[in-house]
Amino acid sequence: MMFTVWGILQLLSKYPGMVPDVDMMFDCMDKPIINRTEHQSFPAPLFRYCTNEAHLDIPFPDWSFWGWSETNLRPWEEEFRDIKKGSKRSSWDSKQPRAYWKGNPDVVSPIRMELMKCNHSRLWGAQIMRQNWAEEAKGGFEQSKLSNQCNHRYKIYAEGYAWSVSLKYIMSCGSMTLIISPEYEDFFSRGLLPKENYWPVSPTDLCPSIKFAVDWGNANPSDAETIGKRGQGYMESISMNRVYDYMFHLINEYSKLQRFKPGKPPSAKEVCAGSLLCFAEQKERDLLERSRAVPSMDRPCKLPGADRDRLERLIQRKKQTIEDVRNMEMTRTERGSR
């Protein structure tokens, strides 16, 4: 909550006097709750970090863009620069020709528990590692530096209890990201395209699907490297300037739907950067200070007009490409069984 409020304060600093007054309800928990079927006629506007097709929760940039002290993650642009630098330490040919995942499976995540069964380099082409955050914290997170985890040609993204903030760091490596078909989307992942800046992996036939992706990539190294670089380029385009622009336009468009003039309720407590920093512990304060925004000399980027047809074509294109990959997997399986 602290880092999300800080992000909103930085938006106000970046675009002083431009952000309209709004009355927002924000839920910092993981899973969306505004069911589309139940609330279709009158959707309750609730902001959170992710959403999906079955829900109407409104996706907002997650707190880790401004840092995450518990896991030693710095503000987004600092982390991205270091990860990209780390990705250049070895060429594509010298990277390990396997898929890599390191994380915590103990977060009520069936897909991560299933992923642990794929830890076999020869059989499934994958190296799956369990992350013990308590032990990492004791060691000062020396074994968890993201810039040191770009040594594989393929990196796996697996959702946790809901979506995971790890996606942006995984894609930043420039490896071909293998995304296990996600149930949830955050604000930027909706723009990702299969076989263009990531490779889709089936959650129902997980280990063979990972093996197929690795074999395909090793048989088509130039194409696999290109997909990885496009993924990294996509994340580089998600600069903090663009994050703030998304926040600005989201709040601005939302404000136009309000049929009342927002007023400050008697119980409200005013928050400013100084008052928030007073509550922060030293490690949190360091990250918050490093992610301060300054007033922009430019206005926010111009929002294009709504084009529902174009959006629908994009959604159908993604579904068709994922289906094409599934057919490729099934064709190889059938050939192998003969």
Side-chain angles (χ1 to χ4, degrees), residues 8-286:
I8 295 172
L9 288 170
Q10 301 318 298
L11 172 67
L12 297 172
S13 296
K14 184 174 179 64
Y15 295 127
M18 297 178 61
V19 182
D21 290 340
V22 291
D23 191 324
M24 294 171 60
M25 180 71 76
F26 202 105
D27 187 354
C28 293
M29 301 305 285
D30 287 352
K31 290 192 175 183
I33 60 172
I34 307 300
N35 185 278
R36 183 179 292 273
T37 303
E38 296 176 19
H39 299 272
Q40 185 69 57
S41 60
F42 191 79
L46 182 63
F47 291 78
R48 71 169 64 251
Y49 306 121
C50 71
T51 190
N52 63 16
E53 289 186 0
H55 292 83
L56 294 166
D57 301 64
I58 305 166
F60 197 85
D62 73 78
W63 72 93
S64 64
F65 280 95
W66 295 273
W68 189 2
S69 58
E70 292 89 343
T71 56
N72 211 40
L73 286 172
R74 297 163 297 171
W76 163 238
E77 289 187 335
E78 287 187 47
E79 285 293 348
F80 177 81
R81 282 195 298 270
D82 269 11
I83 296 172
K84 185 176 181 180
K85 183 178 179 181
S87 73
K88 294 180 178 179
R89 290 186 191 134
S90 55
S91 67
W92 184 267
D93 289 341
S94 62
K95 291 182 187 292
Q96 297 184 43
R98 296 190 293 275
Y100 177 83
W101 184 83
K102 184 177 184 180
N104 179 14
D106 304 315
V107 290
V108 194
S109 171
I111 201 67
R112 288 190 179 183
M113 294 305 295
E114 191 67 21
L115 179 61
M116 300 303 293
K117 302 175 183 177
C118 305
N119 185 29
H120 197 297
S121 296
R122 181 180 56 79
L123 193 59
W124 304 122
Q127 182 179 354
I128 312 299
M129 301 185 68
R130 180 183 289 269
Q131 173 86 311
N132 186 321
W133 282 114
E135 290 300 316
E136 289 295 328
K138 292 177 185 177
F141 300 95
E142 283 300 314
Q143 303 304 313
S144 298
K145 288 182 179 178
L146 298 173
S147 59
N148 294 336
Q149 296 183 35
C150 298
N151 302 317
H152 295 73
R153 294 180 191 171
Y154 317 97
K155 292 198 69 176
I156 300 169
Y157 169 72
E159 290 182 328
Y161 178 63
W163 112 110
S164 170
V165 304
S166 63
L167 177 60
K168 57 181 174 290
Y169 307 113
I170 290 170
M171 294 195 67
S172 296
C173 261
S175 305
M176 187 172 86
T177 303
L178 312 185
I179 296 183
I180 304 170
S181 292
E183 182 179 350
Y184 304 95
E185 294 180 314
D186 60 18
F187 82 102
F188 72 82
S189 65
R190 294 177 295 180
L192 295 173
L193 295 173
K195 287 190 74 177
E196 187 162 317
N197 38 39
Y198 78 93
W199 185 275
V201 168
S202 170
T204 56
D205 204 16
L206 187 55
C207 299
S209 189
I210 290 172
K211 181 64 161 59
F212 179 84
V214 170
D215 288 348
W216 181 91
N218 288 336
N220 302 274
S222 178
D223 293 334
E225 183 178 10
T226 297
I227 292 173
K229 293 301 180 185
R230 283 179 184 156
Q232 186 182 61
Y234 185 93
M235 293 319 306
E236 189 164 22
S237 74
I238 311 293
S239 64
M240 285 308 296
N241 284 335
R242 298 289 76 79
V243 172
Y244 285 123
D245 282 359
Y246 174 86
M247 293 165 63
F248 172 82
H249 285 301
L250 181 64
I251 292 173
N252 190 51
E253 294 300 311
Y254 170 73
S255 73
K256 297 175 184 178
L257 302 176
Q258 290 183 150
R259 298 178 181 178
F260 63 94
K261 181 176 176 58
K264 187 165 61 177
S267 60
K269 299 186 184 303
E270 183 175 352
V271 181
C272 65
S275 65
L276 190 146
L277 288 170
C278 285
F279 285 99
E281 297 177 358
Q282 186 58 51
K283 191 173 182 181
E284 295 169 331
R285 191 178 299 119
D286 290 343

